[in-house]
Amino acid sequence: LGNLPVDVIKIIVILIAMFVLSPGLTLIVLTAVPVVYLVSSYFRRNTFRLQLQVRRTVGAINAFLQETFSGMRIVKAYGKESQYDGYFQRPLGDNLKASNSTAVYDAYFPVVMQVIRVVAIAAVVWFGAKTGIDERLAISSGGLAAMTDLIGRLFSPIDALTLEFQILQQALAGLKR
């Protein structure tokens, strides 16, 4: 979270620049903020829950291995290696399932954020272009290019912040466990 102040300052400066170019289009872009917040909250909650599950399953695997290794002579003496191998498959399968679920959320989140970014850019182009739709929001083609560039620059620190919070979620799950 060391970059948090820098990212927040970047967001503020970019929003000011957007507002100078076109207050109306900036308000359209700001409608994405609640969507970003809701999406981030959804992914944050589920990622944290799944990270806790991964930590639990790793703990179960470690406990099983410790018990098995400490009793290895007895297991070998009675020829129960294959039986213990079967016992090990359950915690291993649980860990694989939890890890895969976490990976799915980690993979989908940047994609969803990218879709929100593209929708914001499309809305700005739609309303900002001089097409006769709403001439009050229309700006020059150079201004429109600048707005779309600023939207991309706006989402970069937002993406960085959300990535930092995902890493924090993993650390908190480990700490809680």
Side-chain angles (χ1 to χ4, degrees):
L1 291 175
N3 292 335
L4 179 67
V6 174
D7 288 334
V8 169
I9 290 170
K10 282 181 187 177
I11 291 169
I12 292 169
V13 169
I14 291 169
L15 284 172
I16 290 169
M18 291 173 71
F19 191 79
V20 168
L21 275 173
S22 174
L25 292 178
T26 303
L27 291 176
I28 290 173
V29 172
L30 287 176
T31 60
V33 171
V35 175
V36 167
Y37 175 76
L38 291 173
V39 167
S40 298
S41 295
Y42 171 78
F43 277 92
R44 187 186 70 240
R45 278 191 316 273
N46 287 305
T47 300
F48 184 71
R49 179 181 50 80
L50 291 169
Q51 283 293 335
L52 281 175
Q53 184 62 30
V54 167
R55 300 296 179 187
R56 278 189 219 106
T57 60
V58 167
I61 289 171
N62 289 337
F64 180 85
L65 289 174
Q66 177 62 32
E67 290 172 10
T68 302
F69 286 142
S70 64
M72 187 58 73
R73 287 186 181 166
I74 295 170
V75 170
K76 285 189 171 246
Y78 288 101
K80 299 289 185 178
E81 293 94 340
S82 62
Q83 185 177 0
Y84 273 83
D85 181 44
Y87 292 155
F88 186 58
Q89 293 306 313
R90 180 179 174 150
L92 206 56
D94 290 345
N95 180 264
L96 180 64
K97 183 179 174 186
S99 295
N100 285 343
S101 296
T102 301
V104 166
Y105 276 92
D106 287 343
Y108 280 153
F109 183 70
V111 174
V112 172
M113 292 299 290
Q114 192 72 2
V115 167
I116 294 169
R117 177 189 313 208
V118 168
V119 168
I121 290 172
V124 164
V125 169
W126 179 263
F127 289 107
K130 293 183 179 179
T131 57
I133 296 170
D134 190 353
E135 293 295 327
R136 293 175 295 160
L137 295 175
I139 59 176
S140 69
S141 58
L144 198 55
M147 280 296 283
T148 58
D149 182 57
L150 286 171
I151 292 170
R153 292 175 189 259
L154 175 69
F155 274 87
S156 293
I158 291 173
D159 291 344
L161 286 172
T162 54
L163 179 63
E164 288 180 25
F165 281 117
Q166 279 183 316
I167 293 168
L168 182 65
Q169 288 292 100
Q170 292 173 351
L172 288 174
L175 184 63
K176 184 170 183 176
R177 181 66 187 147

